[in-house]
Amino acid sequence: MSNDEVMVHSDADVLTAAAAARLITRIVDAQRARGVASIVLTGGGTGIGVLRKVRESPANAAVDWSAVNVFWGDERFLPEGDGERNETQAREALLDHVPVDPRRVHPMAPSDGRFGSDVDAAAEHYAEVLGALAEAGSDRPVPRFDVLMLGVGEEGHTASLFPATPYVRDTEHVVVGVHDCPKPPAERISLTLPAIGSAAEVWLMTGGAGKAEAVSRALGGAHAVDIPAAGARGRERTLWLLDRQAAADSAAVTAPATPEQGITPP
Ligand code: 6PG
């Protein structure tokens, strides 16, 4: 497992722009190495803000969008096209504006699709989708994820894994149907921590003073059951992309002397 690395940017706008630049570069590098890149998207203001910045960046023309596999780390279980679905927001922010191959875009099922209102069946199906695309010879039941992006909630949730729920403890499944979620909507679909941990790189991206305590607890070694974001770790890299406000309470992250500063906690 990788050690956490922390990058602090001056504000949320710089954070999303810098993460977008990083994402474009990471996709281009993966395509150079393997011909194709696989990315896992997230919702929330930061995650969608990053996609918007990718769309606005002239550098996005360096990406072969027809060779990008797109997955989601979690989804609100709502009808197709609902404005609160992470898929809908990601399409509006980026995917509708770049020449992705629709066959490589793998959204989680909506609540009015072939599984109807059965969120567990929808979750099971997504696990099958991931399993079918797993690398030949790999013992991981998911594709190679080059970058898996996540947001962080004020109470430390990430993807749709909330503190002290059975879902954050789940080590049996790749994808879970989430019931009784404390943040609406009550039903969601989420990758589990082991599935998240299969990604080469996990990027936890968050800004604002409301996230400072959760970030500080995660970087301070909190248990994943208490602060789920603390359990999201990439195989090769775990990168926290923060703004100054979100980093403010973290003992290991001292006030940046320069506008942008990276640190690696001991
Ligand atoms: C949800 C949200 C949520 C969000 C985090 C971070 O599904 O309810 O998407 O999980 O990603 O709360 O949100 P911000 O990036 O807006 O801080």
Side-chain angles (χ1 to χ4, degrees):
M1 254 326 150
S2 53
N3 289 325
D4 288 11
E5 295 171 58
V6 183
M7 178 67 69
V8 182
H9 293 291
S10 45
D11 59 37
D13 194 53
V14 176
L15 161 62
T16 50
R22 192 181 282 278
L23 181 61
I24 291 169
T25 303
R26 192 68 198 84
I27 292 172
V28 170
D29 285 351
Q31 289 182 329
R32 182 172 182 276
R34 280 178 302 284
V36 65
S38 294
I39 59 173
V40 184
L41 307 184
T42 187
T46 313
I48 298 300
V50 170
L51 299 185
R52 207 171 287 125
K53 294 284 191 189
V54 170
R55 170 178 145 205
E56 290 168 1
S57 169
N60 81 36
V63 170
D64 175 359
W65 290 101
S66 71
V68 180
N69 296 321
V70 180
F71 302 93
W72 273 264
D74 75 319
E75 186 55 278
R76 298 163 175 170
F77 197 52
L78 294 168
E80 177 94 48
D82 190 294
E84 291 295 309
R85 272 178 63 79
N86 293 338
E87 176 197 356
T88 309
Q89 295 182 11
R91 288 191 188 278
E92 286 173 3
L94 176 66
L95 302 177
D96 287 349
H97 307 277
V98 289
V100 285
D101 179 346
R103 291 165 304 181
R104 291 188 181 274
V105 178
H106 303 283
M108 292 172 164
S111 61
D112 58 352
R114 58 192 272 216
F115 305 104
S117 59
D118 188 343
V119 69
D120 295 320
E124 200 175 315
H125 172 70
Y126 205 67
E128 287 166 12
V129 169
L130 299 181
L133 295 169
E135 280 180 293
S138 161
D139 56 358
R140 284 186 290 273
V142 294
R144 177 195 159 89
F145 296 140
D146 293 298
V147 178
L148 186 150
M149 291 176 284
L150 293 169
V152 180
E154 293 190 1
E155 78 300 66
H157 85 260
T158 199
S160 283
L161 304 174
F162 285 73
T165 57
Y167 313 108
V168 71
R169 294 187 170 92
D170 193 307
T171 55
E172 300 292 310
H173 300 94
V174 169
V175 187
V176 283
V178 173
H179 301 259
D180 300 323
C181 183
K183 183 179 177 190
E187 292 192 323
R188 293 155 173 261
I189 302 171
S190 185
L191 299 192
T192 58
L193 286 177
I196 288 169
S198 71
E201 298 195 13
V202 168
W203 299 357
L204 294 130
M205 312 183 301
T206 196
K211 309 300 174 71
E213 184 184 345
V215 168
S216 152
R217 290 182 65 193
L219 289 173
H223 195 285
V225 171
D226 302 321
I227 301 288
R233 318 295 301 277
R235 280 187 294 113
E236 296 167 13
R237 191 173 202 200
T238 306
L239 181 58
W240 289 78
L241 299 171
L242 306 173
D243 71 1
R244 283 186 189 176
Q245 289 186 325
D249 288 1
S250 299
V253 185
T254 49
T258 54
E260 321 300 324
Q261 184 179 53
I263 64 106
T264 303

